Amino acid sequence: MPEPSLKTVVVNREPSPRPLWRDVVHKTTLWFHAMGLSPYYRYGEIGNLLYTFGKSILEGAVLYTMFSMAQSEFKVAAILGVLTKYFYPGITFISNVKVSSFVDYLERYTDTRTQVRRLIRAMALVGGGQALGAILLVLCYPPFFTSLFGTSAAGRYVLIALYLLHHICDGSAQVAEGRIWFKLIEIKLRNGRLQRISENFWGIHAMSQNIQLFAGLILLWAATLVTGLFQDHLGHTVMWGIVSCGTLLTAFSKFSLPLAWKLSLHRQEHEGE
């Protein structure tokens, strides 16, 4: 009798997940790679990083001193905290509805170049909103606020109005920017001709968020620490330098991509980059 034939059974095994540190290194490498390959992503991420740096520095210098002034001189620190907590869901709701309608409107265009052009114009509007938010926040810095509005009884209402307007401008711009920027990089990275980047789109996006998160926390704590050391000398040159740096970075950061588009990227798009 012939011996039974032996059949080889092939078992498909799922690839084992990378250790966390290797995954972080891999995604960070891809993030840098994406910035090198796509000028749209590069200039947009530069703007995101500059905004994170500026906003963290500005908040570290202003929020601590502003709430101290609000509590000691105007007794409205609790009101500021509560009102912004109640207002922010409304800001998010309205911004989400408007931006989602805008993105849905863009989906009618089959030409991605038209979509990109309109998204970059929207990014310029977002930059304007965040710049206005930065100006409103720096007006709450105690030496600036005192010189402009004094310490009269009406000052408490001005302080509340300035801080709420800051949240309305900056908060709505942040919500809008998140949706608009995601749509833009989805077009340029995920649906583009960059295969390796497309396959790792979500990892790159998550790593970008993590880098901004950690950089923002470090700068926020550093600015808060320096502000605490100069708490009795807020008019010192060091403090004005920190506040000015944070304000300028925040105000001009998100115009990096629209400016690059105006100078060169629109010509590359027209030539079919």
Side-chain angles (χ1 to χ4, degrees), residues 5-138:
S5 60
L6 297 178
K7 296 182 178 180
T8 302
V9 178
V10 178
V11 178
N12 294 325
R13 295 182 178 179
E14 295 183 358
S16 57
R18 296 187 185 92
L20 178 61
W21 69 269
R22 290 186 61 186
D23 206 25
V24 170
V25 172
H26 176 65
K27 298 303 182 187
T28 304
T29 302
L30 288 174
W31 179 71
F32 279 110
H33 189 52
M35 290 183 67
L37 286 178
S38 174
Y40 290 88
Y41 189 66
R42 178 167 60 253
Y43 290 115
E45 281 292 84
I46 289 173
N48 290 336
L49 289 171
L50 291 178
Y51 175 80
T52 299
F53 298 162
K55 186 68 183 303
S56 299
I57 293 170
L58 186 60
E59 287 188 340
V62 174
L63 291 185
Y64 176 75
T65 57
M66 183 201 69
F67 275 99
S68 297
M69 177 183 68
Q71 180 59 32
S72 61
E73 298 181 21
F74 300 116
K75 310 298 182 184
V76 294
I79 296 175
L80 288 176
V82 171
L83 284 181
T84 51
K85 186 71 174 179
Y86 290 162
F87 264 79
Y88 208 80
I91 296 170
T92 304
F93 175 81
I94 295 172
S95 299
N96 277 332
V97 171
K98 297 298 291 183
V99 176
S100 62
S101 298
F102 172 68
V103 174
D104 288 341
Y105 170 75
L106 287 183
E107 294 293 341
R108 302 175 185 176
Y109 294 96
T110 56
D111 183 14
T112 57
R113 288 181 296 183
T114 302
Q115 293 182 5
V116 168
R117 183 169 62 251
R118 292 179 178 270
L119 285 168
I120 291 178
R121 289 177 181 173
M123 286 288 290
L125 293 176
V126 166
Q130 292 179 334
L132 181 57
I135 293 171
L136 290 168
L137 182 59
V138 80

Side-chain angles (χ1 to χ4, degrees), residues 126-200:
V126 166
Q130 292 179 334
L132 181 57
I135 293 171
L136 290 168
L137 182 59
V138 80
L139 288 177
C140 297
Y141 185 57
F144 214 160
F145 184 85
T146 302
S147 63
L148 291 176
F149 307 106
T151 57
S152 61
R156 68 179 63 188
Y157 304 109
V158 175
L159 183 62
I160 292 172
L162 286 174
Y163 193 56
L164 284 179
L165 287 172
H166 157 71
H167 271 284
I168 291 172
C169 293
D170 185 76
S172 58
Q174 281 193 53
V175 173
E177 189 268 346
R179 309 299 187 272
I180 292 169
W181 172 237
F182 184 85
K183 180 62 179 177
L184 182 59
I185 63 172
E186 186 180 42
I187 293 172
K188 302 306 295 185
L189 294 186
R190 192 178 192 182
N191 299 327
R193 295 189 293 271
L194 309 175
Q195 183 177 359
R196 188 185 179 201
I197 301 302
S198 300
E199 293 171 352
N200 294 274

Side-chain angles (χ1 to χ4, degrees), residues 52-65 141 215-231 234 238-239 241-243 245-246:
T52 299
F53 298 162
K55 186 68 183 303
S56 299
I57 293 170
L58 186 60
E59 287 188 340
V62 174
L63 291 185
Y64 176 75
T65 57
Y141 185 57
L217 283 175
I218 292 171
L219 289 172
L220 178 65
W221 280 104
T224 303
L225 176 61
V226 174
T227 302
L229 295 175
F230 285 88
Q231 184 175 4
L234 296 181
V238 172
M239 288 306 304
I242 292 174
V243 171
C245 179

